[in-house]
């Protein structure tokens, strides 16, 4: 069956692409986040075919961070995964979107410092749920800060805001 062959090729291709980008630990956390968010067991992360998007004068590399989430060849949403700065290091995070580009999950995947881990708490991360590409969250206004995690909370809020801006630009350019 041709559909099955295409699906297998997509799965293998995605696995090969992901194996170069993410560590095993990070890949497992990303897959667990997608499974739980969409309540699906099998899926494919297909890189969005966009090398760069122009936002003002700023070139934004997006192709290695943004994926369509496909379940049985049906698009169920998007995943954006990247790193953001913490006090002395970086942390890995994921933002999961519905097909209409509304945030349905945010997750701190790997946090590498002793202080500031509170940003990984689901209660804090839920503040981003429901935001769409036209929203621009601000720490201290739309998003509550966290005592002892000021840098990480600022970084996560800015990462979400920048991702929403990028996705809005991609949508305006009809690239997603």
């Amino acid at each position: 069956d041709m559909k099955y062959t295409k699906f297998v090729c997509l799965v293998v291709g995605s696995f090969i692409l992901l194996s170069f980008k993410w560590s095993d630990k990070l890949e497992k956390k990303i897959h667990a986040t997608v499974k739980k968010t969409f309540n699906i067991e099998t899926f494919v992360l297909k890189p969005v075919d966009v090398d760069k998007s122009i936002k003002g004068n700023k070139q934004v590399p997006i192709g290695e961070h943004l994926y369509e989430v496909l379940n049985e060849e049906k698009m169920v949403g998007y995943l954006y995964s990247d790193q953001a700065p913490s006090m002395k290091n970086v942390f890995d995070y994921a933002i999961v979107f519905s097909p209409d580009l509304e945030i349905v999950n945010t997750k701190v995947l790997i946090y590498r410092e002793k202080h500031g881990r509170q940003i990984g708490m689901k209660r804090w991360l839920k503040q981003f749920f429901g935001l769409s590409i036209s929203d621009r969250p601000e720490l201290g206004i739309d998003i509550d800060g966290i005592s002892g995690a000021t840098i990480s909370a600022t970084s996560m809020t800015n990462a979400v805001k920048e991702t929403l801006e990028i996705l809005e630009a991609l949508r305006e350019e009809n690239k997603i």
Side-chain angles (χ1 to χ4, degrees):
D1 181 332
M2 189 57 137
K3 270 188 172 180
Y4 179 76
T5 304
K6 282 171 105 176
F7 183 73
V8 169
C9 288
L10 203 55
V11 170
V12 171
S14 291
F15 179 76
I16 290 168
L17 279 170
L18 295 178
S19 64
F20 293 117
K21 167 135 175 44
W22 295 322
S23 68
D24 287 346
K25 180 179 179 184
L26 184 56
E27 186 175 346
K28 284 178 184 164
K29 289 179 177 273
I30 286 170
H31 280 255
T33 300
V34 171
K35 282 181 180 184
K36 187 172 182 184
T37 301
F38 294 113
N39 196 25
I40 53 178
E41 279 302 311
T42 59
F43 61 91
V44 174
L45 295 178
K46 178 185 169 198
V48 173
D49 190 20
V50 178
D51 289 329
K52 292 185 173 147
S53 173
I54 308 295
K55 184 67 178 169
N57 293 329
K58 184 173 151 187
Q59 286 197 333
V60 185
I62 188 97
E64 59 199 46
H65 301 285
L66 182 63
Y67 299 85
E68 287 182 352
V69 180
L70 304 172
N71 176 257
E72 297 176 9
E73 296 188 35
K74 179 181 175 246
M75 208 273 276
V76 295
Y78 293 93
L79 167 82
Y80 184 84
S81 181
D82 203 354
Q83 292 183 327
S86 53
M87 191 163 153
K88 297 177 184 165
N89 210 324
V90 294
F91 60 90
D92 294 279
Y93 67 89
I95 307 170
V96 186
F97 294 88
S98 66
D100 62 350
L101 299 173
E102 183 176 292
I103 295 176
V104 293
N105 198 359
T106 51
K107 184 110 172 127
V108 173
L109 302 165
I110 299 176
Y111 196 80
R112 296 171 179 87
E113 298 203 38
K114 290 183 170 111
H115 299 289
R117 293 188 179 280
Q118 303 94 312
I119 67 155
M121 293 173 47
K122 192 167 184 86
R123 192 180 85 209
W124 186 77
L125 290 167
K126 277 187 171 182
Q127 296 179 91
F128 298 106
F129 292 18
L131 295 179
S132 70
I133 57 174
S134 60
D135 292 313
R136 300 295 178 262
E138 293 290 335
L139 189 68
I141 297 170
D142 312 294
I143 305 297
D144 294 331
I146 300 174
S147 180
T150 307
I151 293 169
S152 297
T154 301
S155 287
M156 185 65 185
T157 303
N158 289 341
V160 169
K161 180 167 63 173
E162 288 171 15
T163 302
L164 292 170
E165 288 173 359
I166 291 166
L167 294 182
E168 184 176 43
L170 290 173
R171 176 58 53 94
E172 286 170 2
E173 296 167 9
N174 293 316
K175 293 183 179 178
I176 55 171

